[in-house]
Amino acid sequence: MKIWLAHHRHAFVSSLHRLATAPFATFFTLVSLGITLSLPAGLAAGLASLQQLADRLPAQGTLTVYIRTDASSDDRAALDRRVHALPGLASARFISRNDALHELSQHLGLPDLSAELPDNPLPDAWQLTPTRIDPALNREWSERLSHLAGVDLVLGDQVWVSRLNALVALGDRLTTFLAMLLAAGLVTISGNIIRLQILTRLPEIEVSQLIGATDRFIQRPFLYFGALQGLLSGVLAWGIVCIAIWLATPELGELARLYGSAFVLGYPTASAGLTLTAVAAALGWLGAWLALRYTLLR
Amino acid sequence: MIRFEQVSKRYPGGHDALHEVTLHIESGELVFLTGHSGAGKSTLLKLISAIERPTSGNIWVNEQNISRIRRSALPFLRRNIGLVFQDHKLLFDRNVIHNVLLPLDIAGFRRHDAFSRARAALDKVGLLDREKSMPVALSGGEQQRLCIARAIVSRPPLLLADEPTGNLDSGYTADIMRIFSEFHRTGTTVIISSHDPSAVPAGRQRIVRLDHGSLAS
């Protein structure tokens, strides 16, 4: 156990030492790896903010059913029953035409609107909120209700919901693809650096094998080096993303304000940043492992 | 300690380096391996340290049959063998003492103990005052002594030296032979190969002569 710890300490210190003795090479490598990683990380951060915006939207796939003014009380009772039998219904709110007019006058800031209108032009309506945002559910509800007697119009924001969802899904897919591509890039870059290191250190490896070094002993410093390199580039990518968000925030805030939105580009959370560094370290390690597999143990 | 039973070695390409060699070396012996170049001396030493595998026959080192030793068991065999190479195989990217520290790092010695052991080994070969030098600054004889220091630093029970005096003039040769015999006196089994009969010091040590891959005496 003590020997094992000593070996690990030795490997770790020697890989740190190697990073430090070639500061320029280390710097360039880390920058290239960091930029590579920051692209998917930045995209993921932007997407997370967009997803948050979508979740916070007031319209949660709400459907409004407008009732004909000449609907009979039987039709209204039938509609009432049908509404409450809908699958996936979170809440159903009946808005009478008087309440609707009252709300409208308040919203417009015209308290005597009802007095000025000769007749209330608004219909009674049901406002239906589903338990989840799901365009398919909205369509199903719309189909079930729009043919009923007494129903004038079923209006939903499902088109808009669909578009946003499709956009987020596309972004998600794109980020995943980009992340996978650049992860492969990171593994390749890391692996290639380790491969070159192995080649320059072949004499040491040969002598070590001749005097009783195990494969693990020989591989360990390279694996540490790869993981350390990945870890540092992950931290760097985290920093790059934070700086980019910090730089973009004033302009983005202004843009969002002009659109009357409260959209804020959020910084990556601590857990997201730590995940990024951990994944980067793992990828660096993987690169080193592959390089060892194909250069050393052939 | 070492037993060869009908050992043959044929290299890829058909060159027969050793042919049906049967040999027994006791623990604590000092053996000189002589013969013309190409007689199979290096091959014999490489077979003992399992750098090469025999084509046929069995080789026993410390009661372990190493003819078909597993790759994962190799390091532990090698840790009991000190190897001295004709071309030294020093690492030129580190100084003298760090070259000697390498086997101790591999064996997992504590840093402090490792340094004192490495200094003792350097003292034995007369290089203690050069511990901070780089190997490139050493003469041929000093490089060979450094190689010996690295081979003996972990105090292996078996020391193999392949043409340790091959490139050295006679003054250095006597120096190095003296180091080997001192080491032998502490109980270590020592096998030294040399194509030059004049390198073998006068004495009662055993001489094994190889001729075209077979034992000559």
Side-chain angles (χ1 to χ4, degrees):
Chain A
M1 186 65 188
K2 257 187 176 168
I3 291 176
W4 184 82
L5 275 178
H7 277 160
H8 275 271
R9 205 177 63 92
H10 182 252
F12 181 70
V13 169
S14 80
S15 39
L16 262 186
H17 181 73
R18 229 168 312 130
L19 276 174
T21 44
F24 275 104
T26 303
F27 175 76
F28 285 122
T29 312
L30 289 184
V31 167
S32 67
L33 291 176
I35 290 173
T36 305
L37 273 174
S38 68
L39 287 173
L43 213 62
L47 213 62
S49 298
L50 200 66
Q51 186 75 60
Q52 259 179 21
L53 179 73
D55 290 348
R56 263 191 280 121
L57 283 176
Q60 301 271 332
T62 309
L63 213 65
T64 312
V65 183
Y66 296 100
I67 302 165
R68 297 169 69 101
T69 40
D70 58 351
S72 69
S73 56
D74 279 355
D75 290 341
R76 285 163 187 271
L79 180 62
D80 193 327
R81 279 196 303 278
R82 294 298 289 267
V83 159
H84 284 96
L86 285 174
L89 183 73
S91 68
R93 180 172 156 237
F94 182 75
I95 305 169
S96 71
R97 48 198 304 223
N98 289 335
D99 288 346
L101 187 65
H102 183 66
E103 254 180 52
L104 184 67
S105 65
Q106 284 213 324
H107 194 71
L108 295 175
L110 301 168
D112 42 0
L113 185 67
S114 50
E116 279 174 30
L117 285 171
D119 201 13
N120 185 351
L122 299 176
D124 288 332
W126 279 101
Q127 198 174 53
L128 311 175
T129 311
T131 46
R132 61 182 191 280
I133 300 184
D134 180 358
L137 189 68
N138 275 23
R139 262 198 307 281
E140 189 191 332
W141 285 8
S142 184
E143 275 163 18
R144 280 193 187 202
L145 299 176
S146 55
H147 304 301
L148 291 180
V151 171
D152 187 22
L153 184 66
V154 179
L155 264 186
D157 44 10
Q158 72 262 42
V159 176
W160 198 83
V161 170
S162 311
R163 281 181 194 154
L164 185 67
N165 268 345
L167 215 64
V168 170
L170 177 71
D172 225 19
R173 182 60 58 85
L174 212 67
T175 307
T176 310
F177 178 67
L178 198 68
M180 274 161 56
L181 208 66
L182 294 177
L186 189 136
V187 169
T188 321
I189 296 173
S190 167
N192 197 40
I193 290 164
I194 303 290
R195 192 182 63 84
L196 292 175
Q197 266 191 17
I198 292 169
L199 292 182
T200 56
R201 294 179 65 202
L202 271 182
E204 182 185 347
I205 291 169
E206 188 202 347
V207 170
S208 299
Q209 280 175 334
L210 284 176
I211 59 184
T214 55
D215 287 343
R216 277 162 186 264
F217 179 86
I218 289 167
Q219 291 175 34
R220 213 172 276 132
F222 294 106
L223 292 174
Y224 264 112
F225 188 91
L228 211 59
Q229 192 171 258
L231 185 98
L232 292 176
S233 63
V235 172
L236 198 69
W238 191 358
I240 289 173
V241 170
C242 286
I243 289 171
I245 290 173
W246 179 68
L247 286 175
T249 295
E251 282 71 21
L252 211 66
E254 180 61 19
L255 196 69
R257 199 185 60 74
L258 290 174
Y259 274 97
S261 158
F263 180 74
V264 189
L265 198 53
Y267 287 95
T269 57
S271 71
L274 290 177
T275 309
L276 173 68
T277 21
V279 167
L283 290 173
W285 184 92
L286 180 67
W289 185 82
L290 285 174
L292 287 163
R293 197 114 232 94
Y294 290 104
T295 23
L296 197 59
L297 305 178
R298 254 184 324 183
Chain B
M1 175 157 214
I2 298 166
R3 213 163 69 237
F4 276 57
E5 282 173 1
Q6 307 272 309
V7 174
S8 297
K9 172 68 185 176
R10 168 175 289 187
Y11 284 104
H15 170 61
D16 279 306
L18 283 182
H19 184 67
E20 306 234 314
V21 171
T22 297
L23 180 69
H24 193 176
I25 294 172
E26 295 287 348
S27 182
E29 266 194 282
L30 172 60
V31 177
F32 281 91
L33 206 56
T34 64
H36 60 92
S37 53
K41 305 185 295 295
S42 292
T43 302
L44 196 128
L45 293 181
K46 280 179 182 163
L47 287 171
I48 295 173
S49 47
I51 297 170
E52 296 287 351
R53 305 287 176 111
T55 315
S56 64
N58 286 310
I59 302 166
W60 303 78
V61 175
N62 281 331
E63 306 306 320
Q64 185 186 13
N65 188 342
I66 61 161
S67 333
R68 269 163 286 281
I69 189 169
R70 287 205 330 277
R71 183 186 154 82
S72 58
L74 272 180
F76 306 99
L77 169 76
R78 300 242 174 94
R79 284 181 203 180
N80 288 319
I81 302 175
L83 291 173
V84 178
F85 309 96
Q86 182 177 6
D87 59 354
H88 320 318
K89 294 201 192 299
L90 300 175
L91 299 177
F92 288 92
D93 62 344
R94 61 197 72 190
N95 64 22
V96 163
I97 191 142
H98 277 97
N99 266 280
V100 182
L101 282 170
L102 188 62
L104 302 175
D105 285 339
I106 288 169
F109 274 83
R110 292 232 319 274
R111 213 67 183 136
H112 182 76
D113 299 345
F115 267 101
S116 51
R117 272 197 175 215
R119 291 211 175 88
L122 283 175
D123 191 27
K124 231 171 250 170
V125 300
L127 283 178
L128 191 53
D129 54 335
R130 306 297 302 270
E131 67 168 272
K132 295 231 161 57
S133 306
M134 296 306 275
V136 75
L138 302 181
S139 70
E142 285 172 326
Q143 289 190 3
Q144 189 57 280
R145 269 147 53 193
L146 175 54
C147 183
I148 295 170
R150 188 182 62 192
I152 63 174
V153 71
S154 47
R155 295 172 201 160
L158 175 60
L159 187 66
L160 305 179
D162 189 10
E163 300 276 1
T165 59
N167 302 323
L168 304 179
D169 59 40
S170 54
Y172 282 134
T173 301
D175 225 21
I176 281 172
M177 287 304 171
R178 181 188 51 78
I179 295 169
F180 281 131
S181 54
E182 268 175 24
F183 203 61
H184 167 244
R185 242 174 274 138
T186 63
T188 308
T189 312
V190 181
I191 305 175
I192 304 165
S193 82
S194 177
H195 68 279
D196 177 14
S198 69
V200 180
R204 290 186 298 127
Q205 63 271 11
R206 179 173 168 196
I207 296 176
V208 172
R209 204 157 70 80
L210 281 169
D211 188 17
H212 293 97
S214 301
L215 284 187
S217 57

